Amino acid sequence: MASSSNPPPHRTHVPLPSDSGGDPFDAEAPPVPIHIVTDASQLPAEFLNPSAERQLVVGFDCEGVDLCRTGTLCIMQLAFQDAIYLVDAVEGGAVLINACKPALESAHVTKVIHDCKRDSEALYFQFGIKLHNVMDTQIAYSLIEEQEGRKRLPDDHISFVGLLADPRFCGISYQEKEEVRTLLRQDPKFWIHRPLSELMVRAAADDVRFLPYIYHKMMEKLNARSLWYLSVRGALYCRCLCINDNDYADWPPIPPIPESLIVEGNAPEEEILSILDVPQGKMGRVIGRKGVSILAIKKCCNAEIHFGGDKGPPDKVFIMGPVREVRKAEAMLRGRMMD
């Protein structure tokens, strides 16, 4: 792996799956360096130049000020088995982030991330990057829950802190996250300050250093059907907030249903993304008092329904799921708009 000429002052542990039965969270294990990257030459060559011969799995996340299409992406974190790279978009600028574009758009680099929607939106609108081939741990968690017979309630999306606490995947407490959240409430521009403080470095690294381990634990549990859903829903999550005028024609195609799932006689239904425009003044009717209307629709439809919220876009509803369930949700939402 590439690194800066001087030894990095920051280090942390990256837990790895072990066939020997050893403790992946052993505090005595040698720590790995945390590199603060301001120039592309500090990044691994195999990341900058992805290839089919060298498939990579990388923990991935972004931090920023009001991270969305109009906010500011400040740091992009990459977790490898032997190092963590904090790609500093403030110091390195668009040149540095665009050097990462081939990897972020590559099918040969699996980006392991927890809820990629806003990260993808920021990369697309700020840098023209179409995030591709993600393994979204929030989606994977829901699929594993379904496999194990537990039904997820509407809007019951596991948080990253909750995922880390689950003993099936990590079983650790992440109390430091609340410390950072408190600082973000006090100073919304927390991530743009330079130089990076010790807390900023630690918090950024903590958001990705467990992801490669969680990836392996989840992949052990997911069956073939769930793996297809994972790839499709990951692609839809990446597109969700990245609205364009050509119906995503310049994005990689959605993974088709594998023949192995079709021949079993119980083929999964195609899944799609639909975006509804809400007329001015009608969003309140769609959501209803204290969210009653939208919650009722979510309970009736086996589809995910998202809103732009404070970060926008404020006049859109995003629906993802099986075709029939998406169409059902569309009809119910349009009905609320006409009430």
Side-chain angles (χ1 to χ4, degrees):
M1 296 294 181
S3 65
S4 57
S5 56
N6 297 318
H10 308 284
R11 292 183 175 272
T12 190
H13 289 89
V14 174
L16 300 174
S18 173
D19 295 329
S20 63
D23 181 5
F25 301 99
D26 183 3
E28 299 300 320
V32 304
I34 303 174
H35 299 287
I36 298 174
V37 176
T38 57
D39 186 271
S41 63
Q42 298 170 271
L43 287 167
E46 57 267 40
F47 176 78
L48 294 173
N49 303 288
S51 69
E53 292 72 33
R54 183 69 186 270
Q55 302 285 328
L56 299 178
V57 175
V58 181
F60 179 71
D61 192 25
C62 297
E63 309 294 351
V65 176
D66 197 23
L67 190 67
C68 62
R69 67 187 60 201
T70 58
T72 302
L73 191 152
C74 299
I75 300 175
M76 189 170 70
Q77 304 106 288
L78 306 169
F80 293 79
Q81 291 189 358
D82 60 355
I84 289 177
Y85 297 84
L86 306 184
V87 182
D88 191 342
V90 175
E91 296 292 334
V95 172
L96 175 57
I97 300 301
N98 281 316
C100 301
K101 180 174 181 176
L104 298 179
E105 295 186 341
S106 175
H108 307 310
V109 180
T110 300
K111 280 70 67 175
V112 187
I113 184 172
H114 191 81
D115 190 5
C116 67
K117 294 189 291 295
R118 288 296 182 186
D119 304 74
S120 181
E121 180 189 27
L123 288 167
Y124 181 68
F125 285 102
Q126 295 180 37
F127 302 99
I129 294 172
K130 297 180 280 290
L131 186 61
H132 177 54
N133 191 29
V134 301
M135 190 283 199
D136 194 307
T137 56
Q138 190 175 78
I139 299 171
Y141 183 91
S142 295
L143 290 168
I144 292 169
E145 290 287 279
E146 291 173 16
Q147 279 185 196
E148 297 181 355
R150 288 180 285 274
K151 185 175 178 61
R152 182 173 63 83
L153 300 173
D155 292 331
D156 184 21
H157 300 288
I158 189 74
S159 68
F160 186 54
V161 173
L163 175 64
L164 290 177
D166 192 313
R168 294 173 297 174
F169 309 113
C170 263
I172 64 168
S173 172
Y174 189 9
Q175 296 177 341
E176 295 84 355
K177 188 74 172 178
E178 187 55 42
E179 180 183 356
V180 175
R181 286 174 177 159
T182 299
L183 290 172
L184 283 170
R185 286 191 291 268
Q186 297 171 349
D187 180 10
K189 296 185 182 295
F190 174 79
W191 287 112
I192 208 167
H193 299 311
R194 295 297 180 273
L196 293 170
S197 67
E198 179 67 31
L199 174 61
M200 295 169 79
V201 171
R202 189 177 77 241
D206 282 349
D207 275 355
V208 291
R209 69 186 180 100
F210 300 103
L211 288 172
Y213 178 78
I214 293 172
Y215 166 83
H216 288 287
K217 300 298 289 185
M218 288 184 154
M219 294 299 284
E220 291 174 354
K221 293 179 177 291
L222 291 162
N223 60 33
R225 191 181 185 93
S226 293
L227 286 171
W228 177 75
Y229 279 127
L230 179 64
S231 64
V232 170
R233 292 174 188 175
L236 295 178
Y237 264 40
C238 284
R239 296 171 181 227
C240 179
L241 299 171
C242 301
I243 304 168
N244 62 21
D245 297 327
N246 62 4
D247 196 27
Y248 303 101
D250 56 340
W251 284 67
I254 300 296
I257 301 173
E259 290 187 9
S260 60
L261 296 182
I262 297 174
V263 297
E264 292 176 3
N266 186 26
E269 186 178 359
E270 177 190 1
E271 299 213 344
I272 61 171
L273 164 67
S274 175
I275 302 172
L276 289 186
D277 291 308
V278 180
Q280 187 174 3
K282 295 288 187 178
M283 188 61 80
R285 291 180 180 272
V286 170
I287 297 174
R289 185 176 177 83
K290 296 184 178 180
V292 170
S293 296
I294 191 61
L295 183 59
I297 295 173
K298 289 180 177 181
K299 287 180 177 179
C300 291
C301 305
N302 183 25
E304 289 194 36
I305 302 175
H306 298 277
F307 298 89
D310 293 339
K311 293 184 178 181
D315 57 348
K316 309 285 185 187
V317 181
F318 305 88
I319 314 166
M320 291 177 282
V323 175
R324 282 178 292 184
E325 297 298 321
V326 169
R327 299 305 179 217
K328 180 179 176 181
E330 287 176 340
M332 296 180 75
L333 287 163
R334 289 193 175 101
R336 291 298 306 166
M337 295 178 204
M338 293 188 294
D339 285 348

